[in-house]
């Protein structure tokens, strides 16, 4: 066959059009696939709905690959996991292993009874003396004192010159010489009211001359906290000259965790050890639990009073206290397994078949890394002790509800007790041989909302009840087939 040049030209053009059309079709197919939304794909024999990062489980991806948040591969979410209706949520065992999850078994054990806390020695704020000027005057002399000095009772602090006392003392001496007992007593009482101490009045009586200089002394022994006088200064009546704090007893202020404060009782004995006296054990008495909780540390201040023989205990010393408590048997889980959301307290249960379910719990004391479980768990159940926050987030995304305290209590009842009987009220909708249909209200123990459902009805129950009657009834929900055990028609309202 012969082909001229025009035939060859037409053939080449046709081949080019075919190639261009194929390329255009391929581009459209790719563009369509890029614009398509997340679609289910098949991985092996299981259908994949989407991929996600376990650390950011609410972000979904339509193809596998590396996570943009963490240096790890995205994890597939399979369709059979989403449609699974068993209790809890199923998590891939490989993911659990990669998270390094640890497990613990709920067990009965002894929770430590002692409460230990740090404490700081402080002044006894009830053993304080305030020294004031009883009359206006001038400071003639200040004895060799300074804040922080420890002084004995009666130690002199300052000499005050009070000019206003001179005239009253001369008048008292003149009346005393008259022999008029009534006037003399009145004049003497006036001296006392002017602020003169008894010792000064007695000195005037002995010498027969007025004395306008008085020595101000400390009424108690202790440490000078403040000293506000200097030689030559004038002082008004009522001015505070010094503040002295006694040292015969001291206080220890201990920071007690809020959760442990309820175990303490005022009046109990406390064992004390101080860093200044290693190996020496002392005792004190709890005299008060202050009413305020520290907001930053969530602690309550316990005040312990101790005798300070020889003034060995100095304010500012650091030590530890131990409150002896009673140890008892309790249901325990590791404290790290407890999730506190602010609204409720949860743990993550590890169920059979690689399933996990949050469970609501009520917790008690905490000591030694163990937390007491008052309700919500049964001995022998397994909980997640590490990685439970990610599992709880996964369960929330999957719509898994936490096991309630009532459900845990029902699961702990022995089989010998028989099925649990529930109570409800409703209206009879229909009756048939061996069954009755009731529109009833919610049943909180079973987490049932108000609904209409059919119950099995024994022949001996429900005699004389008709369609439309309002009834009170009890039933058992064992084996998934609720059975009415009693049925009583309500009296008609008048």
């Amino acid at each position: 066959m012969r082909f001229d040049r025009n035939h060859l030209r037409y053939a080449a053009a046709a081949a080019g059009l075919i190639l261009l059309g194929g390329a255009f079709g391929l581009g459209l197919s790719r563009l369509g696939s890029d614009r398509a939304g997340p679609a289910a794909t098949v991985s092996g024999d299981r259908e994949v709905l989407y991929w996600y990062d376990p650390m950011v489980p609410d972000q979904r991806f339509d193809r596998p690959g590396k996570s943009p948040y963490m240096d790890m591969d995205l994890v597939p979410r399979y369709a059979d996991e989403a449609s699974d209706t068993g209790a809890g949520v199923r998590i891939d065992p490989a993911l659990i292993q990669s998270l390094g999850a640890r497990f613990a078994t709920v067990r009965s054990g002894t929770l430590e009874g002692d409460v230990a806390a740090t404490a700081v020695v402080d002044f006894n704020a009830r053993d304080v003396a305030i020294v004031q000027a009883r009359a206006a005057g001038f400071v003639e002399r200040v004895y060799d004192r300074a804040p922080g000095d420890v002084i004995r009772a009666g130690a002199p602090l300052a000499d005050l010159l009070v000019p206003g006392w001179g005239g009253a003392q001369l008048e008292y001496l003149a009346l005393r010489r008259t022999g008029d007992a009534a006037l003399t007593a009145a004049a003497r009482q006036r001296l006392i009211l002017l602020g003169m101490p008894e010792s000064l009045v007695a000195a005037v009586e002995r010498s027969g001359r007025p004395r306008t200089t008085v020595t101000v002394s400390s009424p108690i022994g202790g440490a000078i906290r403040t000293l506000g006088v200097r030689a030559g200064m004038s002082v008004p009546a009522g001015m505070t000259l010094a503040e002295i704090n006694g040292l015969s007893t001291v206080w220890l202020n201990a920071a007690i965790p809020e959760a442990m404060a309820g175990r303490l009782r005022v009046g109990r004995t406390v064992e004390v050890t101080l860093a200044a006296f290693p190996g020496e054990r002392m005792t004190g008495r709890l005299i008060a639990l202050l009413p305020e909780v520290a907001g930053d540390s969530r602690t309550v201040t316990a005040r312990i009073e101790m005798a300070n023989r020889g003034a060995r205990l100095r304010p500012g010393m650091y030590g530890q206290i131990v409150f002896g408590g009673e140890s008892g048997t309790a249901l325990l889980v590791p404290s790290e397994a407890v999730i506190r959301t602010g609204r409720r307290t949860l743990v993550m249960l590890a169920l059979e078949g690689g399933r996990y379910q949050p469970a609501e719990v009520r917790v008690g004391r905490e000591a030694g890394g163990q937390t007491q479980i008052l309700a919500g768990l049964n001995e022998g159940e397994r909980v997640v002790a590490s990685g439970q926050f990610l599992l709880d987030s996964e369960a929330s995304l999957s719509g898994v509800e936490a096991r309630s305290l009532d459900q845990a209590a029902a699961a702990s009842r022995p089989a010998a007790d028989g099925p649990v009987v529930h109570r409800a009220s409703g209206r009879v909708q229909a009756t048939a041989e061996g069954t009755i249909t009731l529109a009833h209200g919610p049943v909180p123990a079973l987490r049932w909302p108000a609904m209409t459902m059919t119950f099995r009805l024994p022949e001996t129950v429900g005699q004389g009840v008709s369609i439309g009657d309002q009834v009170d009834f009890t039933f058992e929900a064992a084996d998934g087939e609720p059975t009415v055990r009693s049925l009583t028609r309500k009296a008609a309202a008048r």
Side-chain angles (χ1 to χ4, degrees), residues 299-389:
T299 56
V300 177
T301 299
R303 180 176 291 165
I304 298 100
E305 187 173 272
M306 292 182 62
N308 187 16
R309 299 179 181 86
R312 300 171 64 210
L313 307 182
R314 301 172 182 272
M317 284 183 173
Y318 173 83
Q320 286 190 330
I321 62 171
V322 176
F323 294 87
E326 297 181 357
S327 299
T329 302
L331 206 60
L332 305 177
V333 298
S335 298
E336 60 181 339
V338 179
I339 304 172
R340 291 179 170 87
T341 66
R343 185 173 60 89
R344 58 182 180 174
T345 305
L346 302 171
V347 297
M348 183 60 65
L349 285 174
L351 306 176
E352 296 292 336
R355 308 186 68 83
Y356 301 88
Q357 181 186 17
E360 185 177 358
V361 294
R362 187 165 68 248
V363 299
R365 297 192 294 115
E366 180 179 352
Q370 299 289 317
T371 296
Q372 179 185 17
I373 300 297
L374 301 178
L377 288 177
N378 303 307
E379 187 172 2
E381 292 183 308
R382 295 177 71 234
V383 297
V384 182
S386 175
Q388 68 272 25
F389 290 96

Side-chain angles (χ1 to χ4, degrees), residues 252-270:
L252 275 81
N253 293 324
I256 307 298
E258 180 182 4
M260 298 182 180
R263 300 172 52 196
L264 305 183
R265 296 293 180 268
V266 173
R268 69 186 308 172
T269 301
V270 180

Side-chain angles (χ1 to χ4, degrees), residues 180-201:
D180 190 330
L183 290 177
T184 301
R188 191 178 192 283
Q189 184 62 26
R190 181 187 175 203
L191 300 183
I192 299 298
L193 295 176
L194 288 174
M196 299 180 200
E198 284 282 353
S199 58
L200 181 63
V201 175

